[in-house]
Amino acid sequence: MLSREYALSEDTKEEDLVALVEKLNKDDEIHGILVQLPLPKQIDEEKIINAIDPKKDVDAFHPANVGKIMIGNFDYLPCTPAGVMELIKETGIEIEGKECVIIGRSNIVGKPQAMLMLHKNATVTICHSRTKDLKEVVKRADIVVAAVGRPNFVTADMVKEGAVVIDVGINRLENKKLCGDVDFESVSKVASYITPVPGGVGPMTIAMLMQNTLTAAKLTLK
Ligand code: NAD
């Protein structure tokens, strides 16, 4: 894979970033475009995502690709949720019919995660900052996906014995160490499977991005 990095300055104008995206849209050497978010405040994120050619949108953030994920007939995998699905697949545990609880409802993790699990016939619940009795809801889950962005948010008393626990969170502590949304120490004693942070979902997200890039190249050859 050819990889080109454009590290633009923080004061880049919105129209300049749009122009770069449009240039790459037309470049036959480039099959996939990823704009690293978040963007500086002078740039409208939605405008930039919408400028990416949906056929080169390997992050699957463009509304056309989001819509396809919702319907279940999609070219590109939403990278982080797809990585989570791969991790669950590796356990050999069947998702169909399972109670899956996702904590977090962002457009990049929570919502597409729910869709992928629904497409696999799970019973899916999405929890968020206004959810009442969060502990009770999470305790029902056979599979828990935590994407909150709060260190050690999920504790052992919230998790059913034998549940699969996938930790999407990446939090930087004051001592500069990385930690997830799940209190690994205590939850690993009740979960049947648990992912570490770092070294769990993060590398899978990158692997799925590579897969999308390959898919993008193949689509242009069709
Ligand atoms: P976000 O901030 O957009 O969303 C957080 C979600 O958590 C929100 O939907 C909010 O409703 C929910 N939430 C916040 N407080 C809550 C509470 N007290 N109770 C219940 N729900 C609550 O974050 P995001 O972009 O979805 O990312 C979530 C985490 O995952 C972050 O730590 C981020 O760094 C990490 N992340 C990791 C990867 C990866 O590749 N591993 C990819 C994307 C995001």
Side-chain angles (χ1 to χ4, degrees), residues 67-136:
K68 284 180 160 192
I69 291 161
M70 178 98 176
I71 293 163
N73 178 20
F74 46 90
D75 302 316
Y76 298 124
L77 307 159
C79 298
T80 301
V84 170
M85 297 304 274
E86 284 296 318
L87 287 165
I88 297 169
K89 199 166 137 194
E90 279 295 307
T91 66
I93 290 169
E94 191 55 55
I95 292 181
E96 179 161 323
K98 293 287 183 323
E99 287 269 359
C100 294
V101 172
I102 299 153
I103 319 173
R105 58 173 162 188
S106 71
N107 289 333
I108 58 168
V109 189
K111 286 186 209 166
Q113 186 69 64
M115 284 304 130
L116 295 192
M117 291 179 140
L118 195 59
H119 295 324
K120 292 283 180 203
N121 301 317
T123 302
V124 183
T125 307
I126 306 179
C127 297
H128 47 81
S129 50
R130 313 273 172 88
T131 297
K132 289 191 180 130
D133 303 325
L134 184 92
K135 184 178 158 185
E136 301 310 312

Side-chain angles (χ1 to χ4, degrees), residues 2-6 8 16-35 51-53 55-56:
L2 163 81
S3 170
R4 276 200 223 145
E5 187 180 332
Y6 296 85
L8 308 182
D16 292 339
L17 183 54
V18 170
L20 174 59
V21 168
E22 284 172 351
K23 191 178 107 183
L24 296 173
N25 280 344
K26 292 190 201 110
D27 187 337
D28 289 341
E29 265 197 325
I30 300 295
H31 298 105
I33 301 170
L34 178 148
V35 179
I52 300 171
D53 180 345
K55 291 197 288 299
K56 297 192 177 187

